Amino acid sequence: MVVALLAVAGGLSLAFGRFAEAAAISAVLIINSAIGFATEARAIRSMEALRRLARVKAGVRRAGREERIDAEDIVPGDILLLHAGDIVPADARILDAARLQVDESALTGESAPVEKSTDPVVEDAPLAERTGMAYRGTAVTRGTGVAVTVATGPRTELGRIAELVASTKSEPTPLEKQLARLGRSLVWMTVASATSVAVIGFLTGRDVLLTVQTAIALAVAAVPEGLPIVATAALARGLWRMARRNAVIERLTVVETLGSTDLIITDKTGTLTENRMSVVRIMLEDGTVVVDAAHGRFTVDGAAVQPSQLSPLRQALIAAALCSDVPLVDSDDGRSHGDPLELALLAVANSADLDRRTLLAATPEVRREPFDPHVKLMATVHIEEEGFHVAVKGAPEAVIQAASRKATVAGVRALEAQDRESWLERNRTLAEQGLRVIAVATKHQSTASALPFEELTLLALIGLLDPPRPRVREAIAACRRAGIRIVMATGDQAATARTVAESVELIAPGDPTEVLPGSAIRPSAELTQDERSRLLAAPIFARATPEQKLWLLELHRENGAVVAMLGDGVNDAPALERADIGVAMGLRGTEVARKAADMVLRDDHLESVVAAIEEGRTIFGNLRRFIVFLLSCNLSEILVVGLASLVAAPPPILPLQILFLNIVTDVFPALALGACEGTPGGVGGSPRRPREPILVDRHWRRIAGGATVITAAVFGAYAFALEGLDLEVGRAVTVSFLVLALSQLGHVGNMTSRRSGALRNEVTRNPWIWASLAFCLALLLASVRWAPLAQVLGTADPGPQGWLLALVAGLVPFTIGRLAHLARNIESSRPPTAACS
C-alpha cells in the first residue's frame, strides 16, 4: 500500500504538469526498489548460509568403510546406515533391520511409527504398507537398519509431493503481519490527512494547483518508504549475528518469541555440563577401582591393578565396550563420534587393551535391543563358542532390579535382597559425588532370541565425571538478571542432579529445595492444585522421560510462561515442536530433534541460548528503534506541511525536498539503527509480553514528542529567517529544509534505550551510525552547493547567517532529547521518598 500511495502521488503530479515532482517520485520508487532488492537478496543469501550451517548428515557405507556425509551428497546405490534419531536422507530399500521403526506421519499421515523389515510385500501395496522401504524425510524412532538408496531429490516420494506444493504461498509471520498492519494504518492516516488539507484548501479558495501540490507533499511526507527495507535488513543481520554466536535460526517468528522467553527447560548433560565424560570410578562387589583412563591406570586402595588379573573388572569393561551405539566410522579427523558417555566407556576399555573392533571380531554382534527410555536398559547379543553372550548396560536401579546374580573375584554368586540394597547405596554414594552412574551386566544364553533383560549377572557400577561448563554460572546469573527462570529436567539420578545444580549455582549449596522425580509429572488434567503449584515451583526434576518433559512444558505454558525447550533425542521431538522455542543440540542432537526445533545450537552450550535471547531482544529493540525514528521524522514532515497549509502560510518545505529527505535522512540512518549491538554486559531487563504490539504507549509518546520538537525548530527557524534575517522566501525555505534535515539527523542520537548513558550508548558506539551521518551530511551539503541538484530541489544558498541559524536550530531537538533522557535517568535513580508518619 505504501508503494501504491507513492505511485498515486506520482500520477497526480504528472496529471497536473508537475513533471519534476513526478520524475522525483518515480526515482524514489526505483531507488527504493533497488535498495529493497539488494537487501532482500542479501537476506536470502544469509538464510541460505544459515541452512548450510545446519546441513543434515547421513551415515553411509562406501568401499567397505562407514562414514558420515552431507545428505545432499547421497546417490542411488549408496548403502545407508540408519539409527534412532536419524532423518532418512533418501528413498531406500531395507536390507537389514533390528527393531527398526520409522515415523512416516509427515508422508502418509499415519501417526503410529511403522515397523520395518526385509519381508516382501505385495506389488501394488499402498505407500503406508511398504514395510520394506524407508522414505526421505521420515524419522527413525527406534532401532537400527541398513538400506540401499533407490531414489534421491525430486525422484523421491517426498520430492514428488514437494513439486506439487512448490507454488504454495507461505504465510507471513506474526511480525510481518504487525508491520503490514502498521503500514496500512499509516497509509489510511496519510490519505485522511492529505484529503483534509485538500478539502480545506478548496473551501478556502486557495489555488487548485497549490492545494494539490500541498496534498501530494503531505502524502509523500507521511509515507515511511524505508520501513520494509530496514525491517528486512535488521532481521537478516540479526539472524546472522545469532549464527556467529552458535545459534542457527531459520524461522523469523523466533525473533519475536526470543524477546518474550521467560523460562528455559534444559537437560543437564552437555548444556550445564561439558559433555566431556571420563570414567573415574568402577565399583565392583570386592572393592572400588579408581580409574585414570588417560594414562591407563587402575588402582584399588592406592595399589595398581591390571584388568586382566581382576576378572569382574575385565568382564565389566568388555560389557561396556560391546554394549555400545557408537558406529564404527572412520572419520576425516581420525576420531570416533557419538554419545560422550559411550565414547568414555570405549576409552576406558581401550586403556585396558580391550579394543571394540577386536572384541567384535571375536564375538560378532547378531542382535541388539536399542536403549529404551521406559525400561532404561540396552543390550547387545554376540556369538560365542557355546551359545550367545549378552552385554547389558543401563540405569543402576534398572540393572540391579533385573539381576539375579553378581560377579565376584571368587566367582558368580546369588544376588540377595540385602545385596541389592548395598548396591543401591553404592549407587547413591557415587551420585552424591556428582558422577553420572551406569551399571553393566552380562548373561549367557543358548538362543539369540531369548529375552535379554532377565536373570542378569551384575558386574559393576561405573561412575563418569562430566564437569560443569566453565561459563555456565555466568549464563545462569545472566538469565536471572533478564527475568528468565531455568528448570533442569534430566534423566539422571536425583543425587547427581542436585550436586550438579549446586555446582553451577542453579540452587545454592545446601538449599533444601526438593528434587522432584519425573514420575511426579503427569498430564495437567490429572493434577490437583497443590500438585500443580509444586511442579511449577520446582527447579530440578530427576529421572524425567521425554514424555514427562512434554507434560511439564505444557503445564508451564498453561500457566502463561513463554518456554524455550532444549532437547537432543528423537523422543524430545514432540516437546521441541510444542515449545514456544524448540532448541536442538547441534553436536549430540539427532536429526529428528534438529528438524523439529526452531533453533539449533552448534556448540550445545546454555550460553548460546542466552546469547540468542540477547540477540533476539536486540533485534526487536532495533525494530522499535528505527520505527520510532522513521515515524518521528515522517510525523514532523506532516506537521510542517499540514500546519503551514492550515494557517495559509507559504510552505516551509517543497515536495521534492521532502522526497530527498525521506531517502537521505530516513533510510540510511534507519538502516544503521537496525545494526545497533546489544548493551555490553549481556542480556538484561525483562522479557517482552508475548502479545505486546511493536509500538506501545511510551513509543507513541516519544514519536509525538520528537516530531513536535522538530516541527517547532523548523517553524521557529523559518519565521526568524523571514522576519529576523529578512531573507527572501526561497532562501528561508532552504533554511527550514536544512533545519528539518539536521534535526532528523540529530534525532538519531535520541534513539537510545531508557537505561543507556546520555552520550555513551548503543547508538554512539555503532560505527554505521557515524558513517550514515557523514554520508547524509555530504549529500545535504551537495543539495545546496551543487548547482544541478540545487536547481532540481529548489534550494538556494542562505548565506553565513542562514547556515548558522540552520545549524543552531537543527541541534535543538538533539539537545532537548538528551536533556530529557538525563532527567529521566536522574529521576529513576533517585531513592523513593519516605512516607510521612
Side-chain angles (χ1 to χ4, degrees), residues 81-265:
L81 306 177
L82 305 176
H83 295 83
D86 287 347
I87 297 294
V88 180
D91 287 4
R93 184 173 299 283
I94 304 297
L95 300 178
D96 186 30
R99 298 187 67 193
L100 181 65
Q101 284 189 350
V102 179
D103 178 3
E104 297 182 343
S105 57
L107 191 62
T108 65
E110 295 288 341
S111 58
V114 178
E115 191 86 29
K116 296 295 182 178
S117 70
T118 57
D119 297 336
V121 297
V122 296
E123 184 176 352
D124 57 348
L127 190 65
E129 296 177 10
R130 297 175 192 172
T131 55
M133 290 288 295
Y135 295 102
R136 177 190 175 196
T138 59
V140 181
T141 59
R142 193 181 72 176
T144 59
V146 179
V148 59
T149 303
V150 297
T152 60
R155 294 182 178 87
T156 62
E157 294 293 335
L158 187 66
R160 294 190 186 98
I161 295 174
E163 287 184 341
L164 293 176
V165 299
S167 60
T168 302
K169 186 177 180 181
S170 59
E171 279 290 311
T173 68
L175 179 60
E176 291 169 334
K177 291 178 181 178
Q178 287 194 54
L179 289 172
R181 282 197 298 269
L182 180 61
R184 286 194 295 270
S185 299
L186 292 173
V187 167
W188 287 118
M189 182 183 71
T190 298
V191 171
S193 302
T195 303
S196 300
V197 168
V199 169
I200 292 173
F202 292 141
L203 293 178
T204 55
R206 297 185 67 182
D207 179 70
V208 173
L209 183 58
L210 180 61
T211 299
V212 172
Q213 180 182 355
T214 303
I216 292 173
L218 191 60
V220 170
V223 177
E225 297 92 342
L227 182 57
I229 299 171
V230 180
T232 303
L235 287 170
R237 178 179 171 82
L239 293 184
W240 186 250
R241 276 206 308 254
M242 286 186 192
R244 290 175 58 190
R245 298 180 72 172
N246 294 312
V248 180
I249 293 174
E250 292 189 28
R251 306 174 193 176
L252 292 181
T253 50
V254 176
V255 173
E256 303 165 78
T257 314
L258 279 170
S260 304
T261 300
D262 55 11
L263 178 70
I264 297 174
I265 299 178

Side-chain angles (χ1 to χ4, degrees), residues 637-757:
E637 294 166 3
I638 292 173
L639 292 175
V640 166
V641 174
L643 291 176
S645 176
L646 290 177
V647 299
I653 189 166
L654 304 178
L656 285 181
Q657 294 172 353
I658 293 174
L659 279 171
F660 180 81
L661 292 182
N662 279 7
I663 290 295
V664 175
T665 63
D666 281 10
V667 174
F668 294 109
L671 281 169
L673 285 171
C676 283
E677 303 286 346
T679 304
V683 64
S686 301
R688 185 177 63 89
R689 292 191 302 275
R691 290 180 173 80
E692 185 176 272
I694 294 179
L695 300 182
V696 295
D697 289 346
R698 70 174 184 276
H699 300 120
W700 289 112
R701 288 194 296 269
R702 289 187 69 181
I703 292 169
T708 300
V709 173
I710 292 173
T711 302
V714 171
F715 271 113
Y718 184 51
F720 190 80
L722 288 172
E723 304 297 332
L725 300 182
D726 199 26
L727 296 180
E728 62 184 42
V729 172
R731 296 181 184 276
V733 167
T734 300
V735 168
S736 59
F737 163 71
L738 291 172
V739 171
L740 183 57
L742 293 172
S743 296
Q744 292 179 350
L745 292 178
H747 195 48
V748 173
N750 294 328
M751 297 298 103
T752 58
S753 60
R754 289 177 291 176
R755 301 176 184 84
S756 62

Side-chain angles (χ1 to χ4, degrees), residues 786-803:
W786 188 38
L789 183 57
Q791 184 176 359
V792 172
L793 295 178
T795 59
D797 193 328
Q801 290 181 315
W803 279 105

Side-chain angles (χ1 to χ4, degrees), residues 257-560:
T257 314
L258 279 170
S260 304
T261 300
D262 55 11
L263 178 70
I264 297 174
I265 299 178
T266 178
D267 193 6
K268 171 183 68 68
T269 305
T271 48
L272 302 182
T273 60
E274 289 190 0
N275 203 24
R276 184 171 50 83
M277 294 187 179
S278 58
V279 176
V280 294
R281 297 285 187 277
I282 300 178
M283 276 193 172
L284 307 172
E285 172 65 26
D286 302 292
T288 300
V289 180
V290 178
V291 181
D292 181 358
H295 298 92
R297 294 174 187 164
F298 299 83
T299 58
V300 177
D301 296 330
V305 297
Q306 294 298 323
S308 59
Q309 300 170 351
L310 192 58
S311 178
L313 176 59
R314 178 179 170 80
Q315 291 181 61
L317 295 176
I318 290 174
L322 290 177
C323 189
S324 176
D325 270 332
V326 175
L328 298 175
V329 175
D330 295 322
S331 60
D332 295 335
D333 56 12
R335 296 183 301 170
S336 295
H337 293 271
D339 188 298
L341 181 145
E342 304 265 8
L343 295 177
L345 295 177
L346 293 182
V348 73
N350 284 335
S351 68
D353 296 326
L354 296 170
D355 176 65
R356 183 175 173 228
R357 291 179 186 267
T358 305
L359 293 173
L360 287 173
T363 57
E365 180 183 315
V366 294
R367 178 187 163 205
R368 72 170 40 219
E369 291 286 335
F371 180 79
D372 188 331
H374 296 289
V375 299
K376 298 182 174 65
L377 293 171
M378 172 189 175
T380 55
V381 182
H382 306 263
I383 297 175
E384 57 183 5
E385 290 183 2
E386 298 179 359
F388 298 88
H389 168 237
V390 181
V392 176
K393 78 169 187 287
E397 59 270 27
V399 175
I400 293 170
Q401 180 63 36
S404 60
R405 295 178 297 275
K406 61 182 179 180
T408 72
V409 174
V412 176
R413 299 288 184 266
L415 188 69
E416 307 293 346
Q418 61 270 26
D419 295 324
R420 284 193 171 86
E421 277 303 317
S422 174
W423 279 100
L424 290 172
E425 182 57 36
R426 294 178 190 184
N427 171 46
R428 284 189 288 270
T429 300
L430 290 176
E432 287 169 358
Q433 297 171 15
L435 303 181
R436 183 170 183 181
V437 188
I438 68 162
V440 288
T442 188
K443 68 181 290 190
H444 300 276
Q445 57 192 35
S446 58
T447 64
S449 59
L451 295 176
F453 301 139
E454 294 179 352
E455 302 298 321
L456 299 177
T457 298
L458 178 62
L459 298 174
L461 296 178
I462 300 178
L464 300 99
L465 178 64
D466 185 12
R469 289 193 181 275
R471 299 187 304 275
V472 73
R473 296 179 184 87
E474 291 77 6
I476 291 174
C479 285
R480 289 198 181 100
R481 290 194 300 271
I484 301 170
R485 185 171 162 238
I486 295 180
V487 172
M488 178 204 294
T490 177
D492 223 325
Q493 305 178 71
T496 305
R498 175 181 287 281
T499 302
V500 172
E502 291 179 352
S503 67
V504 300
E505 299 178 4
L506 181 60
I507 60 174
D511 190 317
T513 300
E514 183 182 12
V515 178
L516 294 184
S519 57
I521 309 172
R522 302 195 307 279
S524 178
E526 300 176 11
L527 297 173
T528 66
Q529 188 57 48
D530 288 344
E531 289 174 330
R532 182 188 298 269
S533 300
R534 184 172 170 229
L535 291 175
L536 290 171
I540 308 170
F541 295 87
R543 287 293 190 232
T545 66
E547 185 178 37
Q548 291 161 351
K549 293 180 184 180
L550 176 59
W551 292 336
L552 180 65
L553 161 72
E554 291 178 336
L555 181 63
H556 278 286
R557 291 192 68 198
E558 289 173 9
N559 197 49

Side-chain angles (χ1 to χ4, degrees), residues 783-821:
S783 69
V784 178
R785 302 302 299 269
W786 188 38
L789 183 57
Q791 184 176 359
V792 172
L793 295 178
T795 59
D797 193 328
Q801 290 181 315
W803 279 105
L804 180 61
L805 174 60
L807 180 62
V808 172
L811 288 174
V812 168
F814 171 76
T815 305
I816 292 177
R818 292 297 82 197
L819 291 175
H821 181 86

